[in-house]
Amino acid sequence: GFLSTLSSEASVFTLTTITLDRYFSIVHPLTLKERTLRVAFGVMVVTWSLAALLAVLPLLGIQYYGNNFYGSNGMCLPLHIHDPYANAWEHSAIIFIGFNLVAFMFIAYAYGRMILA
């Protein structure tokens, strides 16, 4: 569950970062300063760190998550479909519905703007 959440969210955050870079490059080409490998490395460190933080929270022994957050269902992602109001269902909902929906909406908006540009 940890690795699945980590890779899923890192992918979503990376796609959002790539879209943001493309958006500024196409829609606002003169406002972005020159990109460097150092800046790209820093952005990816932040992206993976945020994904790792979201994935590791249930493993830190916080009572809110219970004893078996990742192992309580047969799915790879902790969506808790079999018991929607189990411990920490809000955590899963915020990640898989909230963050991913916001990322999707931004990506859709950005590509729409890029097509118009």
Side-chain angles (χ1 to χ4, degrees), residues 27-49:
V27 177
H28 304 288
L30 302 176
T31 60
L32 197 60
K33 295 181 181 179
E34 185 176 333
R35 295 171 206 82
T36 63
L37 186 58
R38 184 176 179 164
V39 171
F41 181 78
V43 168
M44 291 314 297
V45 165
V46 169
T47 296
W48 276 89
S49 297

Side-chain angles (χ1 to χ4, degrees), residues 11 14 19 29 42 52 55 59-60 66 75 87-88 95 99 114:
S11 296
T14 300
T19 302
L59 300 176
L60 296 178
M75 295 178 53
N87 285 347
I95 289 177
F99 286 156
M114 286 186 268

Side-chain angles (χ1 to χ4, degrees), residues 12-86:
V12 169
F13 295 155
T14 300
L15 287 172
T16 305
T17 302
I18 292 169
T19 302
L20 183 64
D21 180 60
R22 289 180 178 175
Y23 173 80
F24 280 117
S25 296
I26 294 171
V27 177
H28 304 288
L30 302 176
T31 60
L32 197 60
K33 295 181 181 179
E34 185 176 333
R35 295 171 206 82
T36 63
L37 186 58
R38 184 176 179 164
V39 171
F41 181 78
V43 168
M44 291 314 297
V45 165
V46 169
T47 296
W48 276 89
S49 297
L50 180 59
L53 176 67
L54 292 174
V56 81
L57 278 175
L59 300 176
L60 296 178
I62 301 170
Q63 185 61 33
Y64 170 72
Y65 293 102
N67 295 329
N68 199 16
F69 180 75
Y70 283 129
S72 66
N73 62 10
M75 295 178 53
C76 293
L77 297 174
L79 294 175
H80 303 290
I81 293 173
H82 67 288
D83 188 10
Y85 298 107

